[in-house]
Amino acid sequence: THGTICASIIKEYAPASEIVSICLKPRRNVVTVEQLITAIDFLDKLNVELINISVGIVCSDLLPELNSIIKNFSDKNRIIVAAGNNYGFRSYPSFFQSVIGVAQLNDHLTNSCGFVIHSSSITGINYLANGIHKLKQRSGEYFITPNASSFATPYITSYVYNLLHTKSVRGVSAVHNALNEALEQEIHTTGNGI
């Protein structure tokens, strides 16, 4: 399933991470804002420090309520990493300022960080990452994910997890700074930003 693939990507790059998986049952293949609000509230009560959201909502009357619960979560120095729309439309929660917005990179990435900065005031996307991952299945065979924001997001989530546990970074602004510093270091070390 989609969630299992996302969890597998996180475990691939952040093997020490502990995952609380919440299955959102889409209605007519669409996740609702109410479902996201309930899930974030539940994870907040569990004191989860980092949330990967690999879905996005294009429009809803309840976006202010979603933004409010996300801001409350973020104000506790907790982090939400959310997928942008695969086609470049503005989607939520990735557009919100207190969220790290991620989309798939459509070019070949050659830096060792695995992502690039992409500051867009239109989509809210902060970073582009490769959505293609080669994951080993229990059968021993490999599964290659399609290049999608949903699969780029767990890569950034795993990177953020590693930052939280190696550099004691706290809060969205500090995570942005640490991600940007990692890219700066990559450029100075290799001369390669992409």
Side-chain angles (χ1 to χ4, degrees):
T1 66
H2 181 265
T4 302
I5 294 168
C6 293
S8 297
I9 294 167
I10 292 169
K11 289 303 268 186
E12 177 73 20
Y13 301 104
S17 62
E18 295 180 29
I19 295 177
V20 176
S21 179
I22 295 180
C23 181
L24 302 176
K25 297 285 186 190
R27 295 184 192 132
R28 295 188 182 124
N29 208 26
V30 175
V31 172
T32 67
V33 171
E34 294 93 336
Q35 290 172 314
L36 279 178
I37 289 171
T38 301
I40 294 166
D41 184 52
F42 176 72
L43 293 169
D44 186 28
K45 289 175 182 164
L46 290 178
N47 292 318
V48 169
E49 67 180 353
L50 176 62
I51 298 176
N52 178 86
I53 300 177
S54 285
V55 298
I57 294 166
V58 177
C59 63
S60 170
D61 293 339
L62 297 175
L63 291 176
E65 288 85 349
L66 178 60
N67 191 26
S68 177
I69 195 159
I70 287 172
K71 179 137 179 29
N72 179 52
F73 188 85
S74 176
D75 286 346
K76 297 173 187 171
N77 285 329
R78 298 180 188 163
I79 310 297
I80 295 177
V81 183
N85 182 282
N86 285 328
Y87 304 105
F89 299 116
R90 179 180 294 175
S91 66
Y92 302 88
S94 65
F95 181 75
F96 294 136
Q97 195 167 15
S98 53
V99 170
I100 296 172
V102 180
Q104 78 278 17
L105 181 69
N106 293 320
D107 297 322
H108 181 68
L109 185 65
T110 59
N111 76 30
S112 64
C113 292
F115 62 92
V116 294
I117 296 171
H118 179 81
S119 297
S120 171
S121 60
I122 295 170
T123 63
I125 298 303
N126 308 112
Y127 302 96
L128 300 176
N130 191 347
I132 301 171
H133 305 277
K134 187 176 179 181
L135 304 170
K136 190 171 186 177
Q137 299 175 314
R138 289 185 184 176
S139 65
E141 294 181 21
Y142 286 91
F143 172 75
I144 299 175
T145 62
N147 193 22
S149 293
S150 290
F151 304 134
T153 302
Y155 175 78
I156 295 292
T157 300
S158 66
Y159 203 98
V160 170
Y161 172 86
N162 292 326
L163 286 173
L164 293 174
H165 290 88
T166 59
K167 298 191 180 233
S168 298
V169 175
R170 294 290 176 256
V172 174
S173 293
V175 168
H176 278 297
N177 289 339
L179 290 169
N180 295 346
E181 285 172 15
L183 285 169
E184 280 287 319
Q185 186 174 14
E186 168 74 15
I187 291 168
H188 290 306
T189 304
T190 64
N192 189 9
I194 297 181

